[in-house]
Amino acid sequence: GALNVFGPNVIAAYSAAGKVEQLIAVAAGSFGVVMANYAGQNFGANRIDRIRSGTNAGTILTLGFSVLSMLIAFIFPEQLTSLFVDSTSTGYADVIKYSKEYLYITAIFYPPLFLIFIYRNVLQAIGKTFMPLMGGVFELIARSLCAFTLPIFWGYAGICLAGPVAWLSAAIPLLISYILSIIKHRNKS
């Protein structure tokens, strides 16, 4: 609803850029699934040390991939957006312009987005399901609040920032919960 006031070209740009972002973030979901399986197996074997070292390795790997994804979004925004937008359509130039703006703003925040997948899946695999649920709630609340408040100050850029603020709102508590859970389980061992 907050996006509708900016008109059809901005809506099309936001939609296309969101699809680009989903395409880029597919690998992050795969990292999360791998970490869920790895953490679950090692939790069952009571190998908290392996969960910690594997999560550290997964974090480094996903951060590296998030930087690569960021570079792809910065270098090829028009080419990626054109996969989802007809170049002969009216307003194509505006759609590309606003899609680039979205990608330039959000790509900087790919590291916390990608980390959500690691920590959410590891926590779920070790039986800590409340904080992953709450991470989703925090993400929803932050996105909703930002979508209706930030555009007042920053226009379309404020809409674009709603996603990154939501990612940070989920990633930070997930990281803290992961650290506390590992410390707790390590002290039990």
Side-chain angles (χ1 to χ4, degrees):
L3 184 62
N4 289 342
V5 299
F6 293 100
N9 290 341
V10 173
I11 294 168
Y14 187 87
S15 176
K19 290 176 185 172
V20 169
E21 185 178 271
Q22 289 172 358
L23 182 66
I24 289 173
V26 163
S30 298
F31 287 127
V33 170
V34 168
M35 290 309 303
N37 289 323
Y38 179 83
Q41 289 172 346
N42 283 292
F43 188 72
N46 199 28
R47 294 293 311 264
I48 304 305
D49 59 317
R50 291 195 65 195
I51 295 171
R52 192 180 82 247
S53 64
T55 302
N56 289 344
T59 297
I60 291 167
L61 185 61
T62 200
L63 285 174
F65 196 84
S66 70
V67 169
L68 176 63
S69 298
M70 186 186 321
L71 291 172
I72 290 169
F74 281 141
I75 295 169
F76 303 109
E78 185 171 342
Q79 294 85 348
L80 291 168
T81 299
S82 67
L83 294 171
F84 304 103
V85 178
D86 180 7
S87 63
T88 62
S89 64
T90 306
Y92 176 76
D94 280 343
V95 170
I96 294 296
K97 178 181 107 176
Y98 287 112
S99 177
K100 282 172 139 176
E101 183 177 353
Y102 176 96
L103 291 169
Y104 289 159
I105 290 170
T106 61
I108 297 165
F109 296 93
Y110 284 172
L113 170 62
F114 281 48
L115 289 177
I116 288 170
F117 291 95
I118 296 291
Y119 296 115
R120 179 180 289 154
N121 283 289
V122 169
L123 286 167
Q124 289 174 333
I126 64 172
K128 303 294 183 186
T129 58
F130 180 72
M131 193 48 73
L133 172 69
M134 291 311 296
V137 171
F138 297 153
E139 197 172 352
L140 175 64
I141 291 169
R143 185 180 306 271
S144 298
L145 290 174
C146 290
F148 288 102
T149 58
L150 295 182
I152 295 168
F153 305 103
W154 295 308
Y156 175 65
I159 294 277
C160 297
L161 281 168
V165 171
W167 302 335
L168 288 167
S169 297
I172 292 168
L174 288 171
L175 173 61
I176 292 168
S177 180
Y178 163 76
I179 291 169
L180 294 174
S181 294
I182 292 300
I183 290 170
K184 180 182 171 188
H185 284 290
R186 190 173 54 198
N187 289 340
K188 283 183 180 178
S189 304

